[in-house]
Amino acid sequence: MKFVFFNVSAIEQRLIDDWSAAHQVTVTTVAAPLTHENMALTRGYDAVVFYPNRAFQTDASLYQQLAQNGIQHLSIKSTGYDNINFAYAKQYQITITNVPNYSPESVAHFTVMSILMVLRRLPQQLRTTHRTPRQQCIGKELTDVTVGIYGAGRLGGLVAKTLHFMGARVLFYARTPKPALTALGLTQVSFETLLTASDVLSIHVPLNETTYHRFNDVHLGKMKADAVLVNTARGAIIDTPALIRYLQQGKFSGLALDALENEETHGFETNPYYQALQAFENVLLTPHIAYYTAAAVRDIVMTALDNAYDVISTGVSENVVLN
């Protein structure tokens, strides 16, 4: 049994070495992402552990080459697998797994921190070019706002409960009933009500065909004029050009964005959307680091490798998303 692990950072390397020694499985590591140019590196291995770029959504030849090189399994080292094309993977009989659960506290606590920072108008104060006078930076407290949670799964539910216990009035939208949340006094509402009633709205859903540009021109327009919008999920859930137009019109008292559209193809600081959003003093931008803690990275690496081990040794894994 042999694996090849792409997109490997220094902290991941130590964890991979430990796992490899404990399981007596050879794991070859590559710092670069997997592309056409280095596809030959997968030859002779049973599974690939990596984070797929957007090409894996549209290019069938990538899957064809993987199958020709003997790859039976792709272990995605993230919760989201929106860049995987299931039709292509199924055509070439490649099993797909993901990491559905890793330190939910990492993103949840980051989200709560971001909400508090924007409510207290810290983005304006953190600008290096000048300081906003204190008199212009009066903030809001959680006890004075209604927070809406879009997506109340394990992560969104934790954010909702944390904010509830901190004193906020919390509304949430979910496709299915969440009795554990409603039992605490949180209110499940329609998407329409979430948009119109929330002073702060935080996004916690995966990116898919349903959620792509879910926050479009029409839906953004229904939010309160002084609302706060927080996104620690995927950038393309928000229609960014529409969001920028509303900011130019003076809508939104603040934004906290840890994910941007096109960040995989344009990077973060070189992303034109970053340049446009950076012009607004009430916008907090972070480079997709909400999840990035030592505990989360450990969970991701170990789970991704365990997934590959289970699939190759037994043919099954509890985290299979396509078999």
Side-chain angles (χ1 to χ4, degrees):
M1 189 184 303
K2 295 168 59 180
F3 305 153
V4 57
F5 200 127
F6 289 84
N7 315 91
V8 175
S9 65
I11 185 172
E12 289 176 326
Q13 184 67 61
R14 295 191 295 271
L15 295 164
I16 294 166
D17 290 343
D18 291 343
W19 186 96
S20 177
H23 290 78
Q24 309 244 311
V25 173
T26 298
V27 183
T28 299
T29 57
V30 181
L34 177 59
T35 64
H36 275 296
E37 287 69 28
N38 60 12
M39 182 64 69
L41 296 176
T42 66
R43 191 171 294 119
Y45 290 90
D46 301 298
V48 170
V49 185
F50 78 133
Y51 183 82
N53 58 41
R54 189 172 295 182
F56 278 85
Q57 178 57 246
T58 58
D59 192 344
S61 69
L62 289 166
Y63 297 86
Q64 181 183 31
Q65 291 179 59
L66 287 167
Q68 289 173 347
N69 289 351
I71 297 300
Q72 306 170 45
H73 171 49
L74 295 179
S75 178
I76 311 305
K77 61 170 190 171
S78 68
T79 300
Y81 44 87
D82 41 283
N83 280 340
I84 290 292
N85 188 303
F86 277 21
Y88 297 155
K90 191 167 186 177
Q91 178 182 349
Y92 292 103
Q93 299 180 316
I94 299 174
T95 300
I96 309 294
T97 57
N98 74 330
V99 182
N101 299 314
Y102 59 85
S103 183
E105 292 80 9
S106 62
V107 178
H109 292 171
F110 191 96
T111 301
V112 173
M113 176 190 71
S114 298
I115 290 171
L116 292 172
M117 289 180 71
V118 176
L119 286 176
R120 299 303 296 269
R121 304 192 69 182
L122 281 182
Q124 290 92 322
Q125 285 294 330
L126 292 175
R127 298 290 178 173
T128 57
T129 54
H130 69 275
R131 296 291 179 186
T132 303
R134 181 180 67 180
Q135 292 82 359
Q136 297 178 24
C137 281
I138 188 167
K140 295 180 180 179
E141 299 186 22
L142 274 178
T143 51
D144 293 331
V145 298
T146 296
V147 181
I149 305 296
Y150 180 61
R154 187 165 181 245
L155 176 52
L158 180 56
V159 174
K161 287 187 285 187
T162 301
L163 292 169
H164 168 72
F165 290 127
M166 292 178 72
R169 175 176 179 251
V170 179
L171 312 176
F172 68 93
Y173 169 84
R175 292 177 301 170
T176 59
K178 302 292 180 181
L181 295 180
T182 53
L184 291 173
L186 285 65
T187 305
Q188 186 164 3
V189 297
S190 66
F191 181 57
E192 185 85 10
T193 299
L194 194 80
L195 292 171
T196 59
S198 298
D199 300 304
V200 178
L201 201 157
S202 188
I203 298 171
H204 300 283
V205 293
L207 176 63
N208 53 40
E209 291 181 356
T210 302
T211 61
Y212 175 78
H213 279 190
R214 179 64 164 154
F215 288 81
N216 56 25
D217 185 86
V218 173
H219 293 149
L220 290 170
K222 292 181 178 181
M223 295 179 65
K224 293 183 178 183
D226 62 347
V228 169
L229 182 60
V230 178
N231 186 11
T232 54
R234 287 289 189 267
I237 296 170
I238 298 174
D239 180 346
T240 311
L243 179 66
I244 292 170
R245 286 195 299 272
Y246 277 115
L247 283 167
Q248 291 168 338
Q249 295 166 16
K251 184 161 186 163
F252 296 109
S253 64
L255 302 177
L257 305 175
D258 186 57
L260 290 179
E261 281 195 271
N262 300 333
E263 64 182 26
E264 293 172 0
T265 54
H266 290 86
F268 197 84
E269 292 193 0
T270 58
N271 189 328
Y273 290 143
Y274 174 89
Q275 305 297 334
L277 290 163
Q278 185 71 1
F280 299 94
E281 291 192 345
N282 61 340
V283 177
L284 175 66
L285 296 170
T286 49
H288 211 134
I289 57 172
Y291 80 97
Y292 199 59
T293 66
V297 171
R298 182 189 64 241
D299 289 351
I300 290 168
V301 168
M302 297 304 180
T303 303
L305 287 167
D306 286 345
N307 288 344
Y309 185 87
D310 291 344
V311 169
I312 299 305
S313 60
T314 70
V316 295
S317 165
E318 63 179 354
N319 297 323
V320 167
V321 294
L322 177 71
N323 197 347

